[in-house]
Amino acid sequence: MTHDHDLVLRPTEAQTAAALNPPAGRNGGDLVVETLAALGTTTVFGLPGQHALGMFDALRRSDLRYVGLRVENNAGFAADAYGRITGEAAPLLLSTGPGALTSLAALQEAAAASAPVLAISSQIPTAGLGGGRHGYLHELPDQSASFRGVVKSVHTVRTQSQIPSAIEAAWKSALTAPHGPVWVEIPQDVLLAPTLIPVVTGGDAFPEELPPRVELTAAAADLLSKAARPAIIAGGGVVRSDASRKLRQLAELLQAPVVTTPGGKGAFPWRHPLSLQSWIEDRYVTDFLEDADVLLVVGSGLGELSSNYHTFKPRGRVIQIEADLGKLESNHPALGIHADARLALQALLETVEEREDVHAAERVGEVLGRVAARIAAQELTLEQDVLASVRKALPADSPSFWDMTILAYWAWSAFDAKGPNLLHSAQGAGGLGYGFPAALGAAVADGSRPVLAVSGDGGALYSIAELATARQYDLNVTWLIVDDGGYGILREYMTDAFGEATATELTRPDYVALAESFGVPGVRTTPEELEADLAKALGEPGPSVVVLPAVLRMFAPTHLG
Protein backbone atom coordinates (compact mmCIF):
# COMPACT_ATOMS: atom_id res chain seq x y z
CA MET A 1 0.00 0.00 0.00
CA THR A 2 1.24 3.46 -0.89
CA HIS A 3 0.32 6.38 1.34
CA ASP A 4 0.21 10.00 0.19
CA HIS A 5 2.98 10.91 2.56
CA ASP A 6 5.22 8.29 0.95
CA LEU A 7 5.07 10.02 -2.45
CA VAL A 8 8.23 11.87 -3.43
CA LEU A 9 8.53 14.13 -6.47
CA ARG A 10 11.21 12.79 -8.78
CA PRO A 11 13.66 15.32 -10.23
CA THR A 12 13.79 15.88 -13.94
CA GLU A 13 16.92 14.95 -15.89
CA ALA A 14 17.85 18.64 -16.10
CA GLN A 15 17.43 19.06 -12.33
CA THR A 16 19.55 15.98 -11.70
CA ALA A 17 22.30 17.24 -14.00
CA ALA A 18 22.25 20.66 -12.33
CA ALA A 19 22.42 19.07 -8.90
CA LEU A 20 25.41 16.92 -9.86
CA ASN A 21 27.26 19.79 -11.51
CA PRO A 22 26.60 23.05 -9.61
CA PRO A 23 28.30 26.09 -11.13
CA ALA A 24 31.58 27.23 -9.65
CA GLY A 25 32.09 30.48 -7.74
CA ARG A 26 28.97 30.26 -5.55
CA ASN A 27 28.87 30.86 -1.80
CA GLY A 28 26.32 30.80 1.00
CA GLY A 29 24.92 34.10 -0.18
CA ASP A 30 23.95 32.45 -3.46
CA LEU A 31 21.82 29.97 -1.53
CA VAL A 32 19.97 32.92 -0.01
CA VAL A 33 19.17 34.65 -3.30
CA GLU A 34 18.47 31.37 -5.10
CA THR A 35 15.95 30.40 -2.42
CA LEU A 36 14.26 33.79 -2.63
CA ALA A 37 14.03 33.52 -6.41
CA ALA A 38 12.64 29.98 -6.15
CA LEU A 39 9.92 31.25 -3.82
CA GLY A 40 8.87 33.84 -6.37
CA THR A 41 10.76 36.92 -5.20
CA THR A 42 11.56 39.53 -7.83
CA THR A 43 12.65 42.46 -5.62
CA VAL A 44 14.67 42.86 -2.43
CA PHE A 45 15.31 45.90 -0.24
CA GLY A 46 18.20 46.56 2.07
CA LEU A 47 21.51 48.13 2.91
CA PRO A 48 24.90 46.37 2.76
CA GLY A 49 27.30 45.88 5.64
CA GLN A 50 30.58 44.05 6.19
CA HIS A 51 29.12 40.82 7.55
CA ALA A 52 26.41 40.68 4.88
CA LEU A 53 28.64 41.12 1.82
CA GLY A 54 28.24 37.47 0.86
CA MET A 55 24.53 38.05 0.25
CA PHE A 56 25.07 41.28 -1.63
CA ASP A 57 27.78 39.79 -3.84
CA ALA A 58 25.37 36.98 -4.71
CA LEU A 59 22.80 39.53 -5.91
CA ARG A 60 25.25 40.32 -8.72
CA ARG A 61 24.81 36.75 -9.99
CA SER A 62 21.02 36.76 -9.72
CA ASP A 63 18.09 38.31 -11.57
CA LEU A 64 16.64 39.85 -8.42
CA ARG A 65 16.02 43.60 -8.43
CA TYR A 66 17.81 45.31 -5.56
CA VAL A 67 16.53 48.60 -4.13
CA GLY A 68 18.96 50.12 -1.66
CA LEU A 69 17.88 52.76 0.82
CA ARG A 70 20.10 54.99 2.94
CA VAL A 71 18.91 53.97 6.43
CA GLU A 72 17.94 50.45 7.54
CA ASN A 73 14.76 51.65 9.23
CA ASN A 74 13.66 53.32 6.01
CA ALA A 75 14.49 50.17 4.06
CA GLY A 76 12.20 48.33 6.47
CA PHE A 77 9.38 50.82 5.86
CA ALA A 78 9.85 50.42 2.10
CA ALA A 79 9.69 46.62 2.39
CA ASP A 80 6.60 46.96 4.61
CA ALA A 81 4.77 48.97 1.94
CA TYR A 82 5.88 46.64 -0.84
CA GLY A 83 4.41 43.75 1.15
CA ARG A 84 1.15 45.62 1.77
CA ILE A 85 0.71 46.53 -1.91
CA THR A 86 1.70 43.18 -3.44
CA GLY A 87 0.65 40.75 -0.71
CA GLU A 88 4.05 39.09 -1.13
CA ALA A 89 6.73 38.64 1.50
CA ALA A 90 9.16 41.52 0.95
CA PRO A 91 12.81 40.53 1.55
CA LEU A 92 14.88 42.99 3.59
CA LEU A 93 18.64 42.31 3.57
CA LEU A 94 20.57 43.70 6.54
CA SER A 95 23.93 43.49 8.23
CA THR A 96 24.78 42.55 11.79
CA GLY A 97 24.46 44.57 15.00
CA PRO A 98 23.79 48.29 14.37
CA GLY A 99 22.39 47.66 10.90
CA ALA A 100 20.02 45.00 12.16
CA LEU A 101 18.96 46.94 15.23
CA THR A 102 18.25 50.10 13.22
CA SER A 103 15.42 48.22 11.49
CA LEU A 104 13.55 47.45 14.71
CA ALA A 105 11.09 50.37 14.58
CA ALA A 106 10.11 49.47 11.01
CA LEU A 107 9.62 45.83 11.95
CA GLN A 108 7.44 46.88 14.88
CA GLU A 109 5.22 48.82 12.47
CA ALA A 110 5.10 45.82 10.13
CA ALA A 111 4.09 43.62 13.05
CA ALA A 112 1.39 46.03 14.24
CA ALA A 113 0.01 46.41 10.71
CA SER A 114 0.48 42.73 9.72
CA ALA A 115 2.77 43.54 6.79
CA PRO A 116 4.75 40.55 5.44
CA VAL A 117 8.44 41.48 5.67
CA LEU A 118 11.13 38.80 5.37
CA ALA A 119 14.15 40.28 7.14
CA ILE A 120 17.41 38.41 6.50
CA SER A 121 20.40 39.55 8.50
CA SER A 122 23.97 38.47 8.76
CA GLN A 123 25.49 37.41 12.07
CA ILE A 124 28.96 37.37 13.54
CA PRO A 125 31.04 34.29 12.55
CA THR A 126 29.76 30.95 13.80
CA ALA A 127 32.63 30.65 16.29
CA GLY A 128 31.30 33.71 18.13
CA LEU A 129 27.73 32.48 18.59
CA GLY A 130 26.56 31.32 21.97
CA GLY A 131 26.82 34.41 24.13
CA GLY A 132 30.54 34.57 24.79
CA ARG A 133 32.39 37.89 24.48
CA HIS A 134 34.79 37.28 21.58
CA GLY A 135 35.10 40.90 20.49
CA TYR A 136 33.83 40.50 16.94
CA LEU A 137 32.75 43.66 15.15
CA HIS A 138 29.00 44.26 15.74
CA GLU A 139 28.88 41.45 18.31
CA LEU A 140 25.80 41.01 20.50
CA PRO A 141 25.40 38.26 23.10
CA ASP A 142 22.12 37.22 21.43
CA GLN A 143 21.16 39.30 18.41
CA SER A 144 17.93 37.37 17.77
CA ALA A 145 16.70 38.16 21.30
CA SER A 146 16.28 41.79 20.24
CA PHE A 147 13.75 40.69 17.61
CA ARG A 148 11.76 37.93 19.33
CA GLY A 149 9.33 40.37 20.93
CA VAL A 150 8.79 42.18 17.63
CA VAL A 151 8.55 39.67 14.78
CA LYS A 152 6.32 36.63 14.23
CA SER A 153 9.13 34.10 14.13
CA VAL A 154 12.92 33.90 14.38
CA HIS A 155 15.03 31.50 12.29
CA THR A 156 18.73 31.06 13.05
CA VAL A 157 20.98 29.35 10.49
CA ARG A 158 24.30 27.72 11.41
CA THR A 159 25.18 25.78 8.25
CA GLN A 160 24.69 26.33 4.53
CA SER A 161 22.39 23.31 4.18
CA GLN A 162 19.94 24.98 6.56
CA ILE A 163 19.56 28.14 4.46
CA PRO A 164 16.86 27.05 1.96
CA SER A 165 14.65 25.43 4.58
CA ALA A 166 15.01 28.31 7.06
CA ILE A 167 14.10 30.95 4.46
CA GLU A 168 11.19 28.87 3.17
CA ALA A 169 9.85 28.42 6.72
CA ALA A 170 10.20 32.15 7.37
CA TRP A 171 8.46 32.95 4.08
CA LYS A 172 5.47 30.78 5.03
CA SER A 173 5.37 32.33 8.49
CA ALA A 174 5.30 35.86 7.04
CA LEU A 175 2.41 35.02 4.72
CA THR A 176 0.32 32.87 7.05
CA ALA A 177 -2.58 34.87 8.49
CA PRO A 178 -2.02 37.10 10.30
CA HIS A 179 0.75 38.36 8.02
CA GLY A 180 3.77 39.85 9.69
CA PRO A 181 7.54 40.36 9.73
CA VAL A 182 9.92 37.46 10.33
CA TRP A 183 13.61 37.30 11.12
CA VAL A 184 16.35 35.08 9.62
CA GLU A 185 20.00 35.45 10.60
CA ILE A 186 23.01 33.78 8.98
CA PRO A 187 26.66 33.96 10.21
CA GLN A 188 29.18 35.82 8.10
CA ASP A 189 31.37 32.78 7.51
CA VAL A 190 28.38 30.70 6.34
CA LEU A 191 27.52 33.39 3.79
CA LEU A 192 31.10 33.73 2.53
CA ALA A 193 32.19 30.10 2.35
CA PRO A 194 32.21 28.46 -1.09
CA THR A 195 29.41 25.95 -1.54
CA LEU A 196 28.92 22.75 -3.49
CA ILE A 197 25.26 22.54 -2.53
CA PRO A 198 23.12 22.29 -5.68
CA VAL A 199 21.42 25.38 -7.02
CA VAL A 200 18.07 25.93 -5.26
CA THR A 201 15.40 25.42 -7.90
CA GLY A 202 12.16 24.90 -5.99
CA GLY A 203 10.26 25.90 -2.89
CA ASP A 204 6.84 25.65 -1.34
CA ALA A 205 5.64 29.26 -1.35
CA PHE A 206 2.07 28.54 -0.22
CA PRO A 207 1.22 29.37 3.38
CA GLU A 208 -1.32 27.47 5.43
CA GLU A 209 -4.89 28.78 5.30
CA LEU A 210 -6.78 29.69 8.46
CA PRO A 211 -10.43 28.66 8.02
CA PRO A 212 -13.06 29.28 10.70
CA ARG A 213 -14.59 26.57 12.85
CA VAL A 214 -17.97 25.59 11.39
CA GLU A 215 -19.85 25.55 14.70
CA LEU A 216 -18.68 29.10 15.44
CA THR A 217 -19.75 30.59 12.11
CA ALA A 218 -23.10 28.79 12.44
CA ALA A 219 -23.66 30.41 15.83
CA ALA A 220 -22.53 33.80 14.48
CA ALA A 221 -24.85 33.55 11.49
CA ASP A 222 -27.78 32.75 13.77
CA LEU A 223 -27.06 35.78 15.99
CA LEU A 224 -26.71 38.12 13.01
CA SER A 225 -29.83 36.81 11.26
CA LYS A 226 -31.98 37.42 14.36
CA ALA A 227 -30.42 40.77 15.32
CA ALA A 228 -32.61 43.84 15.60
CA ARG A 229 -29.76 46.38 15.32
CA PRO A 230 -26.65 44.71 13.86
CA ALA A 231 -23.52 46.73 13.08
CA ILE A 232 -20.06 45.96 11.72
CA ILE A 233 -16.58 47.23 12.52
CA ALA A 234 -14.17 46.45 9.67
CA GLY A 235 -10.45 46.47 10.41
CA GLY A 236 -7.22 45.96 8.52
CA GLY A 237 -7.75 42.20 8.33
CA VAL A 238 -10.49 42.78 5.75
CA VAL A 239 -8.08 44.70 3.53
CA ARG A 240 -5.19 42.23 3.94
CA SER A 241 -7.36 39.21 3.13
CA ASP A 242 -8.91 40.93 0.09
CA ALA A 243 -12.36 40.49 1.60
CA SER A 244 -13.91 43.90 0.89
CA ARG A 245 -16.42 42.57 -1.63
CA LYS A 246 -17.57 39.85 0.77
CA LEU A 247 -17.91 42.44 3.53
CA ARG A 248 -20.17 44.56 1.34
CA GLN A 249 -22.29 41.55 0.39
CA LEU A 250 -22.76 40.60 4.03
CA ALA A 251 -23.56 44.15 5.15
CA GLU A 252 -26.20 44.46 2.45
CA LEU A 253 -27.72 41.07 3.33
CA LEU A 254 -27.98 42.08 6.97
CA GLN A 255 -28.67 45.79 6.37
CA ALA A 256 -25.90 46.35 8.92
CA PRO A 257 -24.12 49.74 9.10
CA VAL A 258 -20.33 49.53 8.72
CA VAL A 259 -17.54 51.67 10.17
CA THR A 260 -13.90 51.10 9.22
CA THR A 261 -10.91 51.47 11.52
CA PRO A 262 -7.82 53.47 10.48
CA GLY A 263 -6.23 50.20 9.34
CA GLY A 264 -9.40 49.19 7.50
CA LYS A 265 -9.64 52.34 5.38
CA GLY A 266 -11.32 51.58 2.08
CA ALA A 267 -12.67 48.21 3.17
CA PHE A 268 -16.23 49.50 2.66
CA PRO A 269 -17.41 52.09 0.11
CA TRP A 270 -17.30 55.59 1.60
CA ARG A 271 -20.57 56.78 0.05
CA HIS A 272 -22.55 53.57 0.58
CA PRO A 273 -25.92 54.13 2.35
CA LEU A 274 -24.74 51.83 5.17
CA SER A 275 -21.33 53.47 5.55
CA LEU A 276 -20.46 55.20 8.81
CA GLN A 277 -17.18 55.95 7.03
CA SER A 278 -14.20 56.01 9.41
CA TRP A 279 -15.43 58.22 12.25
CA ILE A 280 -14.50 55.60 14.81
CA GLU A 281 -13.03 58.20 17.20
CA ASP A 282 -16.32 60.12 17.32
CA ARG A 283 -18.63 59.76 20.31
CA TYR A 284 -21.75 59.74 18.15
CA VAL A 285 -20.41 56.72 16.28
CA THR A 286 -19.23 55.09 19.51
CA ASP A 287 -22.72 55.49 20.97
CA PHE A 288 -24.26 54.00 17.82
CA LEU A 289 -21.99 50.95 17.98
CA GLU A 290 -22.62 50.49 21.70
CA ASP A 291 -26.36 50.35 20.96
CA ALA A 292 -26.00 47.46 18.48
CA ASP A 293 -27.56 44.29 19.84
CA VAL A 294 -25.11 42.25 17.72
CA LEU A 295 -21.77 43.76 16.71
CA LEU A 296 -19.60 41.97 14.17
CA VAL A 297 -15.91 42.94 14.42
CA VAL A 298 -13.90 41.70 11.43
CA GLY A 299 -10.11 41.87 11.29
CA SER A 300 -9.63 44.21 14.25
CA GLY A 301 -8.45 43.74 17.81
CA LEU A 302 -10.41 46.84 18.93
CA GLY A 303 -7.23 48.44 20.19
CA GLU A 304 -6.80 51.99 21.40
CA LEU A 305 -7.51 53.86 18.16
CA SER A 306 -10.26 51.47 17.08
CA SER A 307 -12.22 51.74 20.33
CA ASN A 308 -12.22 55.53 20.79
CA TYR A 309 -9.33 55.14 23.21
CA HIS A 310 -10.91 52.23 25.09
CA THR A 311 -14.06 54.20 25.92
CA PHE A 312 -16.15 51.89 23.71
CA LYS A 313 -18.32 49.64 25.92
CA PRO A 314 -20.60 47.41 23.84
CA ARG A 315 -23.91 46.47 25.44
CA GLY A 316 -24.90 43.77 22.96
CA ARG A 317 -23.32 40.52 21.79
CA VAL A 318 -19.94 40.85 20.08
CA ILE A 319 -18.73 38.51 17.35
CA GLN A 320 -15.02 38.92 16.64
CA ILE A 321 -13.30 37.45 13.58
CA GLU A 322 -9.54 37.78 14.02
CA ALA A 323 -6.54 35.94 12.54
CA ASP A 324 -4.21 37.01 15.36
CA LEU A 325 -4.99 34.70 18.26
CA GLY A 326 -3.48 37.14 20.72
CA LYS A 327 -6.05 39.80 19.76
CA LEU A 328 -9.05 37.51 20.01
CA GLU A 329 -11.24 38.70 22.92
CA SER A 330 -8.27 40.66 24.28
CA ASN A 331 -10.41 43.76 24.90
CA HIS A 332 -14.02 42.56 24.96
CA PRO A 333 -15.76 39.23 25.61
CA ALA A 334 -17.02 37.88 22.31
CA LEU A 335 -17.93 34.89 20.25
CA GLY A 336 -14.34 34.67 19.05
CA ILE A 337 -13.65 33.17 15.64
CA HIS A 338 -9.95 32.58 14.96
CA ALA A 339 -9.85 32.78 11.18
CA ASP A 340 -8.82 34.68 8.09
CA ALA A 341 -11.39 37.38 7.43
CA ARG A 342 -12.08 36.31 3.85
CA LEU A 343 -12.79 32.69 4.76
CA ALA A 344 -14.94 33.61 7.75
CA LEU A 345 -17.00 36.15 5.80
CA GLN A 346 -17.55 33.58 3.07
CA ALA A 347 -18.83 31.11 5.66
CA LEU A 348 -21.23 33.72 7.02
CA LEU A 349 -22.45 34.58 3.51
CA GLU A 350 -23.32 30.91 3.00
CA THR A 351 -25.30 30.58 6.24
CA VAL A 352 -26.75 33.97 7.25
CA GLU A 353 -30.39 34.82 6.55
CA GLU A 354 -31.30 38.05 4.80
CA ARG A 355 -32.67 40.84 6.99
CA GLU A 356 -34.88 43.76 6.09
CA ASP A 357 -34.36 47.10 7.79
CA VAL A 358 -35.81 50.11 5.97
CA HIS A 359 -34.47 52.48 8.62
CA ALA A 360 -30.78 51.40 8.65
CA ALA A 361 -29.60 53.91 6.07
CA GLU A 362 -31.66 56.63 7.74
CA ARG A 363 -29.97 55.97 11.09
CA VAL A 364 -26.55 56.10 9.40
CA GLY A 365 -27.38 59.45 7.83
CA GLU A 366 -28.47 60.84 11.20
CA VAL A 367 -25.18 59.84 12.83
CA LEU A 368 -23.06 61.30 10.04
CA GLY A 369 -25.08 64.49 10.22
CA ARG A 370 -24.32 64.83 13.93
CA VAL A 371 -20.62 64.21 13.26
CA ALA A 372 -20.54 66.86 10.53
CA ALA A 373 -22.28 69.38 12.80
CA ARG A 374 -19.80 68.72 15.61
CA ILE A 375 -16.83 69.33 13.31
CA ALA A 376 -18.44 72.39 11.72
CA ALA A 377 -18.84 74.00 15.14
CA GLN A 378 -15.06 73.94 15.73
CA GLU A 379 -14.02 76.37 12.98
CA LEU A 380 -11.69 73.93 11.23
CA THR A 381 -12.22 75.14 7.67
CA LEU A 382 -8.48 75.25 6.86
CA GLU A 383 -7.96 71.62 7.86
CA GLN A 384 -11.01 70.42 5.96
CA ASP A 385 -10.03 72.41 2.87
CA VAL A 386 -6.46 71.05 2.90
CA LEU A 387 -7.70 67.47 3.20
CA ALA A 388 -10.23 68.03 0.43
CA SER A 389 -7.51 69.49 -1.82
CA VAL A 390 -5.35 66.40 -1.30
CA ARG A 391 -8.29 64.15 -2.17
CA LYS A 392 -9.09 66.10 -5.35
CA ALA A 393 -5.45 66.13 -6.50
CA LEU A 394 -4.77 62.44 -5.85
CA PRO A 395 -5.90 60.04 -8.62
CA ALA A 396 -8.59 57.67 -7.38
CA ASP A 397 -6.43 54.56 -7.89
CA SER A 398 -3.24 55.99 -6.39
CA PRO A 399 -2.07 54.75 -2.98
CA SER A 400 -1.10 57.18 -0.25
CA PHE A 401 1.23 56.74 2.72
CA TRP A 402 0.84 58.96 5.77
CA ASP A 403 3.32 59.70 8.52
CA MET A 404 2.33 60.43 12.11
CA THR A 405 1.19 64.00 11.54
CA ILE A 406 -1.95 66.04 12.14
CA LEU A 407 -3.15 65.77 8.53
CA ALA A 408 -2.85 61.98 8.80
CA TYR A 409 -4.95 61.97 11.97
CA TRP A 410 -7.60 63.83 9.99
CA ALA A 411 -7.26 61.31 7.17
CA TRP A 412 -7.94 58.36 9.49
CA SER A 413 -11.42 59.73 10.11
CA ALA A 414 -12.28 62.02 7.19
CA PHE A 415 -10.43 60.89 4.04
CA ASP A 416 -12.14 58.77 1.39
CA ALA A 417 -9.51 56.21 0.41
CA LYS A 418 -11.56 55.33 -2.74
CA GLY A 419 -10.90 51.61 -2.25
CA PRO A 420 -9.12 48.95 -0.22
CA ASN A 421 -5.34 48.86 0.10
CA LEU A 422 -4.96 52.47 -1.03
CA LEU A 423 -4.41 54.36 2.24
CA HIS A 424 -1.68 53.31 4.65
CA SER A 425 -0.22 54.97 7.69
CA ALA A 426 2.03 54.30 10.65
CA GLN A 427 -0.93 54.07 13.04
CA GLY A 428 -0.05 50.49 13.95
CA ALA A 429 3.06 51.27 16.00
CA GLY A 430 2.97 55.06 15.70
CA GLY A 431 6.61 55.72 14.82
CA LEU A 432 7.79 58.78 12.92
CA GLY A 433 9.35 58.67 9.47
CA TYR A 434 7.07 56.10 7.81
CA GLY A 435 5.38 58.04 5.01
CA PHE A 436 8.08 58.79 2.45
CA PRO A 437 10.15 55.55 2.51
CA ALA A 438 6.94 53.52 2.53
CA ALA A 439 5.72 55.40 -0.54
CA LEU A 440 9.02 54.55 -2.24
CA GLY A 441 8.39 50.85 -1.57
CA ALA A 442 4.91 51.15 -3.05
CA ALA A 443 6.31 52.83 -6.15
CA VAL A 444 8.76 49.96 -6.55
CA ALA A 445 5.82 47.54 -6.33
CA ASP A 446 3.80 49.38 -8.98
CA GLY A 447 5.39 52.11 -11.06
CA SER A 448 2.34 52.60 -13.28
CA ARG A 449 0.61 55.10 -11.00
CA PRO A 450 1.83 57.98 -8.86
CA VAL A 451 2.17 57.47 -5.11
CA LEU A 452 1.60 60.14 -2.48
CA ALA A 453 3.57 60.49 0.76
CA VAL A 454 2.38 62.86 3.49
CA SER A 455 4.64 64.00 6.35
CA GLY A 456 4.96 66.79 8.84
CA ASP A 457 8.28 68.60 9.01
CA GLY A 458 9.26 66.60 12.10
CA GLY A 459 8.65 63.25 10.42
CA ALA A 460 10.23 64.48 7.19
CA LEU A 461 13.55 64.99 8.95
CA TYR A 462 13.67 61.23 9.58
CA SER A 463 13.54 60.50 5.86
CA ILE A 464 15.46 63.23 4.05
CA ALA A 465 18.25 60.85 3.03
CA GLU A 466 15.77 58.88 0.94
CA LEU A 467 15.45 61.74 -1.53
CA ALA A 468 18.67 60.24 -2.92
CA THR A 469 16.93 56.85 -3.22
CA ALA A 470 13.94 58.41 -4.98
CA ARG A 471 16.23 60.10 -7.47
CA GLN A 472 18.55 57.11 -7.97
CA TYR A 473 15.68 54.79 -8.92
CA ASP A 474 13.50 57.54 -10.43
CA LEU A 475 10.54 56.49 -8.30
CA ASN A 476 7.14 58.02 -9.03
CA VAL A 477 6.48 59.50 -5.56
CA THR A 478 5.23 62.96 -4.66
CA TRP A 479 6.06 63.94 -1.09
CA LEU A 480 3.75 66.48 0.58
CA ILE A 481 5.46 68.03 3.63
CA VAL A 482 3.20 70.08 5.91
CA ASP A 483 5.66 72.42 7.62
CA ASP A 484 4.37 73.79 10.93
CA GLY A 485 7.74 74.37 12.54
CA GLY A 486 7.86 71.41 14.88
CA TYR A 487 6.09 68.36 16.23
CA GLY A 488 2.62 69.81 15.74
CA ILE A 489 0.49 67.17 17.38
CA LEU A 490 2.79 66.97 20.41
CA ARG A 491 2.62 70.76 20.63
CA GLU A 492 -1.17 70.45 20.85
CA TYR A 493 -1.09 67.61 23.37
CA MET A 494 1.35 69.42 25.67
CA THR A 495 -0.41 72.76 25.44
CA ASP A 496 -3.75 71.13 26.28
CA ALA A 497 -2.28 69.11 29.16
CA PHE A 498 0.28 71.52 30.65
CA GLY A 499 -0.53 74.97 29.34
CA GLU A 500 2.59 75.20 27.16
CA ALA A 501 4.76 72.96 25.01
CA THR A 502 8.36 71.87 25.58
CA ALA A 503 10.83 70.29 23.12
CA THR A 504 8.42 70.51 20.20
CA GLU A 505 9.95 73.37 18.15
CA LEU A 506 12.38 72.54 15.37
CA THR A 507 14.97 74.29 13.27
CA ARG A 508 14.46 72.83 9.83
CA PRO A 509 15.88 73.28 6.34
CA ASP A 510 14.42 74.91 3.27
CA TYR A 511 12.77 71.72 2.02
CA VAL A 512 12.35 72.98 -1.54
CA ALA A 513 16.03 73.91 -1.87
CA LEU A 514 17.04 70.67 -0.19
CA ALA A 515 14.94 68.57 -2.58
CA GLU A 516 16.42 70.42 -5.55
CA SER A 517 19.93 69.72 -4.26
CA PHE A 518 19.10 66.02 -4.71
CA GLY A 519 17.85 66.69 -8.23
CA VAL A 520 14.21 66.36 -7.11
CA PRO A 521 11.87 69.19 -8.21
CA GLY A 522 10.20 71.03 -5.34
CA VAL A 523 7.55 73.69 -4.93
CA ARG A 524 6.33 75.77 -2.01
CA THR A 525 2.54 76.07 -2.02
CA THR A 526 -0.34 77.62 -0.10
CA PRO A 527 -3.67 76.16 1.03
CA GLU A 528 -5.32 77.96 -1.88
CA GLU A 529 -2.84 76.60 -4.46
CA LEU A 530 -2.36 73.16 -2.92
CA GLU A 531 -4.78 71.26 -5.15
CA ALA A 532 -3.27 72.60 -8.37
CA ASP A 533 0.38 72.27 -7.25
CA LEU A 534 -0.12 68.77 -5.90
CA ALA A 535 -2.02 67.59 -8.97
CA LYS A 536 0.75 68.92 -11.21
CA ALA A 537 3.46 67.19 -9.19
CA LEU A 538 1.54 63.90 -9.17
CA GLY A 539 0.97 64.18 -12.91
CA GLU A 540 4.66 64.40 -13.78
CA PRO A 541 6.83 61.25 -13.74
CA GLY A 542 9.55 60.75 -11.15
CA PRO A 543 9.94 62.08 -7.62
CA SER A 544 8.81 65.51 -6.47
CA VAL A 545 8.31 67.48 -3.25
CA VAL A 546 5.47 69.88 -2.37
CA VAL A 547 5.91 71.94 0.80
CA LEU A 548 2.88 73.47 2.52
CA PRO A 549 3.73 75.90 5.34
CA ALA A 550 0.65 75.68 7.57
CA VAL A 551 -0.27 75.18 11.21
CA LEU A 552 -3.15 72.72 11.33
CA ARG A 553 -5.29 71.83 14.33
CA MET A 554 -6.97 68.59 15.35
CA PHE A 555 -10.70 68.31 15.88
CA ALA A 556 -11.63 68.03 19.54
CA PRO A 557 -11.40 64.53 21.00
CA THR A 558 -14.60 62.88 22.25
CA HIS A 559 -13.11 60.32 24.63
CA LEU A 560 -12.02 62.67 27.44
CA GLY A 561 -15.40 63.73 28.79
Side-chain angles (χ1 to χ4, degrees), residues 1-8:
M1 180 181 293
T2 300
H3 299 280
D4 286 345
H5 59 260
D6 294 328
L7 296 176
V8 177

Side-chain angles (χ1 to χ4, degrees), residues 321-448:
I321 297 168
E322 176 55 58
D324 188 336
L325 194 60
K327 294 180 180 177
L328 202 63
E329 294 191 79
S330 62
N331 287 307
H332 300 281
L335 174 63
I337 302 175
H338 182 219
D340 177 79
R342 178 177 53 83
L343 299 178
L345 287 173
Q346 179 60 40
L348 291 177
L349 283 170
E350 293 171 359
T351 50
V352 78
E353 295 179 11
E354 187 173 2
R355 287 182 69 257
E356 287 191 11
D357 188 342
V358 296
H359 299 297
E362 179 183 337
R363 296 200 310 273
V364 167
E366 290 174 355
V367 173
L368 292 179
R370 293 192 192 104
V371 173
R374 181 177 75 85
I375 299 298
Q378 297 176 42
E379 299 181 358
L380 295 165
T381 304
L382 170 63
E383 290 75 9
Q384 291 175 290
D385 288 349
V386 167
L387 197 64
S389 293
V390 174
R391 180 60 280 172
K392 292 174 184 175
L394 183 65
D397 64 343
S398 281
S400 58
F401 291 81
W402 303 67
D403 216 327
M404 298 298 287
T405 187
I406 286 177
L407 194 59
Y409 295 5
W410 271 92
W412 294 345
S413 295
F415 193 81
D416 179 4
K418 298 295 185 183
N421 208 27
L422 288 175
L423 187 148
H424 300 275
S425 73
Q427 58 86 24
L432 278 173
Y434 174 80
F436 185 52
L440 299 180
V444 172
D446 182 359
S448 67

